[in-house]
Structures are given as structure tokens and as C-alpha cells.
Amino acid sequence: MRITVDRLSPVPLYFQVAEQLEQAIADGTLGAGERIANEIALAADLGLSRPTMRQAIQVLVDKGLLVRKRGVGTQVVSGRVHRPLELTSLYDDLSHAGQEQTTQVLALERRAPSDDVAAELGLPEDAEVWFLERLRSVAGEPLAHMRNHIPCSVIDLAGADLEHDGLYRLLRASGVVMRVARQRISARRADPAEARMLEEKRGAPLLTMERIAYDDAGRAVEYGVHAYRPDRYAFESTLVDR
Amino acid sequence: MRITVDRLSPVPLYFQVAEQLEQAIADGTLGAGERIANEIALAADLGLSRPTMRQAIQVLVDKGLLVRKRGVGTQVVSGRVHRPLELTSLYDDLSHAGQEQTTQVLALERRAPSDDVAAELGLPEDAEVWFLERLRSVAGEPLAHMRNHIPCSVIDLAGADLEHDGLYRLLRASGVVMRVARQRISARRADPAEARMLEEKRGAPLLTMERIAYDDAGRAVEYGVHAYRPDRYAFESTLVDR
DNA sequence: CAGTGGTCTAGACCACAAC
DNA sequence: TTGTGGTCTAGACCACTGC
């Protein structure tokens, strides 16, 4: 268990420490249930101030990897580590998993938003949105049917290559920084058209996700309504009580 | 927009400020997109140090209510506020909503865990668990079918009144402090017995949730497998990019 | 009692955005 | 250039735990 910090690096000190602690947990150097040294000793060892060391530990507490208990100490949480539910697109999820995937664009057009879409995005009545409908497949097997609405004021999607770029990637590339997303996950029966697209039986169960994403100015930038084949997709997350 | 702090209160200063800021956002005193004063000015106004003021703001950033942008300022995120997905039981969720609910205990027994349950909870082979199976209804309508496994070393459920006390409430009352939960949400068809219980048609879609909860010592204390009627339940959450 | 994390202070320098 | 949030320091006192 060796941690080093590089004060010349542009990477924040607390982040350097958090990364190395996380690695130690991932590779078993710090085992489940094990207690780490107290904050003051750790800070002294690394030549850091205590607040900086605390910040490093807090990162891992927020990820659900460590638990702190006043008067006792800080311990590693048991159990294998899941990938946390992050603010990324499905495209990123699958890219990270190394799966071969394809995206078919079923529709891409400007339109006046319906009342509920305008309400979700907080748009005036005369605003226009891009409507995007896609079918995503992995290894040739259909996985998700996605419908998205993006205010035209956010990005110009005319001619965008959405078969090869994820929507979130395009938004990032055009300077939109996603910060917050609110989502709702449930389930329903597939309607006949959707069942055909996803190569499911009529009335098959689908996992559904509705999401509104906001950028770093607090502006709603995307409203998505997705449906997934539940045998091929699930949402994993870690909740932390603070 | 008036915030006051009480230095004699046992409530931390940063928390007092966070609560009042959240209230101002909830009641519209701070509107969507509005910018708040900078950290240093706010700290000075309230007679606090800047780190304390930052900590207060960070609480709301983590809740997805505020976004910070370096060089610019801190703004209120647009859109109506959803209740965040917290580390509570379904019992608490529904109590807060003020709904009348009932719970039927279908099974409560000690048993040797199956291999996968033992693995999820990180238990030795000779350990025993409480197996608990319940059906929860709201306003007379069945809502969820829940199966839970709790190591016998965590709590003694013999004679527990699980028709009237939530499982999490019992655990808290016996000194178990929940800190972290890892969960997986998906969907599947109801099997015939489940469909009958939930008063659904054969093969109806169900929303499923698997969860392992850990206490403040990092110990796995509960493994739950739940199924919900999707027309009556959904998971809402707010994701924040940090 | 000793040891731990929780909170708080009063500064400092920096990177970045907007003008 | 000015103002913002991001990071960092070197302390302090307190509450809680376990012995």
C-alpha cells in the first residue's frame, strides 16, 4: 500500500490520492472490511493537510467504496464493486464494455414540441426541437429504442452523423457540458411496432427510462424516452446515505 | 431571500444554510436559472468562513439543485424538483406520500442461504439467514412482491411484527445503520404465481430491483429481490456529474 | 481515557470566463 | 482586467466510540 503525490501535476492532490486508494481497493491491496489509517496520520504521511486528505477520502465515500464512522475509523465496504450509474449516454456505456454496436437513425427532424415535451424542457410555445429516433443494437441484436428531444437553441443537428456518434458526444463536442440529469425508470408492455423493432414477442416487457439532462448553466438540454430489452440491459447504481 | 444561522444550535452551520437555500429554491424565492451571490460575499453576509459556505452550496450541488461554473457563478437548475432516490425502504417512500398501505407476510423463517445469496452477502457456508417474503399493497391494490435475506448475525427477527414495521425501520431500531446500497433495476415477465399475487394478467411486465445494503461498518446486512407493478411504481433519481 | 471522524476558521494561490 | 469557483494550508474545538 504505497501512495505518492506529484505536486507538479495539474491533477488535484485529493484526486491523485483518491485514484490510488480506489486502485488499492480494486486490486485487493485494501480488502473488504479493512480499516485504513486515520486521516491525520495519512495526511502527515503524504505531506498533505488534513482537509485535503479528507477530501480524497470523501470521494470514495461518495462512490460507496468506503464508510466512515466517528470515533472508530474508515473501512472498506464489502462486496464486489459495481460500475456506478453515471451521467453518460448508453453509447458510452457500451463502448466501455467493449461491445460492437450499431445505431440506426429512424428519424431526425425539426418539429414543434408537443405540450408535454415543451413543459419538460421548459421551452416557450414557439420554440422548436430536434426530434431524434434511433434503434441501437449490440452484436447484431437490438437493444434499445430511443426517442430524444433537443431544443434547437442548444445544437444544430442538421447533417449530424448520429449513426456513428453518440448524442452526448455530439453535445459535448459542441460545447454543451452536461451536469445534472433527472430520470425515471419503470416498465411496460411493448407495443406492436416496438416489439417488431426490438425483435421481441407481442406484449413483451420492456424496461423504460425517461430522462431530462441539464447543462452547467442549469438549462434543460435534452429530454429522452428510451425502451430497453430487459434481458439485455439493466440499470445499476450505488446509493450513499450522507 | 433571508438566511440566518444559529451558532448555538447543534445543527451544523453548513447544513442550516443548505436547508434554507433549498427552501428558497422550493418555494420559488430563487427561481430557475437564477444566479446566487458568490461564495465569498455569501460567507461574509452570514458571518461564516468561505469553506463552510462552500460546503453548504456543495450539498445542493450534490442534490442536483445548483450548478457551479468556474469564472461564472452558481445558478439554480431549471425544471421542477423530483424527490431523489434515497437509501430508504419502500415503506418509507409510501409513508411519506401519505398513502394508506398494508403488508402481508407470506414467509419468515431461518434457513441456510443458497449459494448465490451467500455469495451476494459474503457469508460463510455455515451461516444462516432470515428469509422474508412479503406482499405490499397500497389503498387495497397490490404493489410489490418482496423477498429479502438478512444474515442472522445482523438481527433476530423471531416474532418481529413485519406487518406493521418496515424492515429498514426494524434494522435501524436494533442499531444497524445503513450507509451504502448497490442495486440493479430491470424488468421481466411475471410468473403465474406472482401474477396472481399482484392481481396482474399472466405474463404481465414487472419492474424488478435487486439490492444489497451495507451498514456503517461496511458489512452486507440485506439482500433483497423485489418485483413491482410498473403501472404503480417507478424509480426516480437525480444524477450529478462531479 | 485516548483515538477517531465532524465541523469550522482565516487566510492563500490558482485556473477559467467574461468583458 | 476583474470576478468567479477550485484547490490547499495549518491549525482549532467538538462529539462520539471503545477501552
Side-chain angles (χ1 to χ4, degrees):
Chain A
M1 174 84 230
R2 271 184 347 106
I3 295 180
T4 59
V5 296
D6 173 8
R7 303 193 84 100
L8 298 180
S9 162
V11 178
L13 299 179
Y14 79 87
F15 195 83
Q16 294 181 36
V17 175
E19 272 186 321
Q20 293 175 64
L21 275 174
E22 183 166 7
Q23 184 55 41
I25 294 170
D27 68 20
T29 308
L30 279 175
E34 199 164 332
R35 237 183 65 182
I36 67 175
N38 73 64
E39 302 174 347
I40 297 174
L42 276 174
D45 278 358
L46 298 175
L48 300 174
S49 67
R50 186 183 165 204
T52 300
M53 192 63 226
R54 267 185 74 77
Q55 196 177 358
I57 292 174
Q58 189 61 44
V59 171
L60 301 187
V61 170
D62 288 343
K63 286 189 179 180
L65 297 177
L66 295 177
V67 286
R68 293 203 262 218
K69 208 164 151 191
R70 190 195 310 218
V72 178
T74 302
Q75 291 172 284
V76 179
V77 173
S78 309
R80 60 176 193 290
V81 178
H82 294 222
R83 182 172 44 86
L85 190 58
E86 279 166 357
L87 186 50
T88 56
S89 67
L90 178 55
Y91 184 95
D92 292 333
D93 279 6
L94 297 170
S95 301
H96 291 162
Q99 299 265 23
E100 172 200 358
Q101 62 157 321
T102 57
T103 303
Q104 185 183 350
V105 174
L106 306 174
L108 173 59
E109 61 187 40
R110 290 174 76 112
R111 54 160 73 165
S114 62
D115 287 350
D116 62 319
V117 169
E120 296 284 13
L121 290 171
L123 292 175
E125 289 197 358
D126 58 344
E128 276 194 320
V129 298
W130 290 100
F131 171 71
L132 171 61
E133 184 176 15
R134 292 170 294 172
L135 180 67
R136 182 148 296 164
S137 304
V138 172
E141 308 276 349
L143 171 76
H145 173 223
M146 306 180 287
R147 282 170 294 188
N148 297 83
H149 304 77
I150 304 101
C152 294
S153 54
V154 168
I155 189 174
D156 182 4
L157 288 178
D161 184 8
L162 282 153
E163 308 250 335
H164 297 99
D165 284 321
L167 174 58
Y168 273 38
R169 224 175 86 82
L170 281 176
L171 286 166
R172 256 197 307 275
S174 94
V176 176
V177 181
M178 304 295 225
R179 270 284 177 273
V180 179
R182 297 192 176 128
Q183 63 182 28
R184 183 182 174 85
I185 298 169
S186 192
R188 60 172 167 79
R189 280 187 193 277
D191 62 44
E194 224 167 14
R196 237 185 343 266
M197 269 192 295
L198 291 169
E199 296 175 11
E200 277 275 23
K201 293 182 182 138
R202 289 167 55 91
L206 295 182
L207 181 63
T208 62
M209 189 266 280
E210 260 186 279
R211 176 173 60 189
I212 309 174
Y214 301 85
D215 70 2
D216 59 1
R219 173 183 63 156
V221 293
E222 186 245 344
Y223 172 55
V225 178
H226 298 185
Y228 304 88
R229 282 191 52 156
D231 54 339
R232 298 183 183 156
Y233 202 74
F235 292 91
E236 295 188 350
S237 62
T238 298
L239 311 180
V240 177
D241 189 21
R242 337 180 69 217
Chain B
M1 173 83 233
R2 270 185 347 106
I3 295 181
T4 60
V5 295
D6 173 9
R7 303 194 84 101
L8 298 179
S9 161
V11 178
L13 300 179
Y14 79 88
F15 195 82
Q16 294 182 36
V17 175
E19 272 185 322
Q20 292 175 65
L21 274 175
E22 183 166 7
Q23 184 56 40
I25 294 170
D27 69 19
T29 309
L30 279 175
E34 200 165 332
R35 236 183 65 182
I36 68 176
N38 72 64
E39 301 174 348
I40 298 173
L42 276 174
D45 278 358
L46 298 174
L48 301 173
S49 68
R50 186 183 164 204
T52 301
M53 192 61 225
R54 268 186 73 78
Q55 195 176 0
I57 292 174
Q58 189 60 43
V59 170
L60 301 187
V61 171
D62 289 343
K63 286 189 179 180
L65 296 176
L66 295 177
V67 285
R68 292 203 263 216
K69 210 165 151 189
R70 189 194 313 219
V72 177
T74 302
Q75 292 173 285
V76 179
V77 172
S78 309
R80 60 177 193 290
V81 178
H82 293 221
R83 183 172 44 83
L85 190 59
E86 279 166 357
L87 185 50
T88 56
S89 67
L90 178 56
Y91 184 95
D92 292 333
D93 278 6
L94 297 169
S95 300
H96 292 160
Q99 299 266 23
E100 173 199 357
Q101 61 157 322
T102 58
T103 303
Q104 185 184 348
V105 175
L106 305 174
L108 173 58
E109 62 187 39
R110 290 175 76 112
R111 54 160 72 165
S114 62
D115 287 350
D116 63 320
V117 169
E120 297 284 10
L121 290 172
L123 291 175
E125 290 198 356
D126 58 343
E128 276 194 319
V129 298
W130 290 100
F131 171 71
L132 171 61
E133 183 175 17
R134 293 170 295 173
L135 180 66
R136 182 148 296 163
S137 305
V138 171
E141 308 277 350
L143 172 76
H145 173 223
M146 305 180 289
R147 282 170 294 188
N148 297 83
H149 304 77
I150 303 102
C152 294
S153 54
V154 169
I155 190 175
D156 182 5
L157 288 177
D161 184 7
L162 281 153
E163 307 251 337
H164 296 99
D165 284 320
L167 174 59
Y168 273 37
R169 224 174 86 83
L170 281 176
L171 285 167
R172 256 197 308 276
S174 93
V176 177
V177 181
M178 303 294 223
R179 270 284 176 273
V180 178
R182 296 191 178 130
Q183 63 182 27
R184 183 182 173 84
I185 298 168
S186 192
R188 61 172 168 78
R189 280 187 193 278
D191 63 45
E194 224 167 15
R196 240 187 338 269
M197 270 192 294
L198 291 169
E199 296 175 12
E200 277 274 24
K201 293 181 181 140
R202 289 168 54 91
L206 295 182
L207 181 63
T208 63
M209 189 266 281
E210 262 186 277
R211 176 174 60 190
I212 309 173
Y214 303 84
D215 69 1
D216 59 1
R219 172 183 62 155
V221 293
E222 186 246 343
Y223 171 54
V225 179
H226 298 184
Y228 305 87
R229 283 190 52 155
D231 55 338
R232 296 180 183 157
Y233 202 74
F235 292 92
E236 294 188 350
S237 61
T238 297
L239 311 181
V240 177
D241 189 22
R242 340 179 68 220

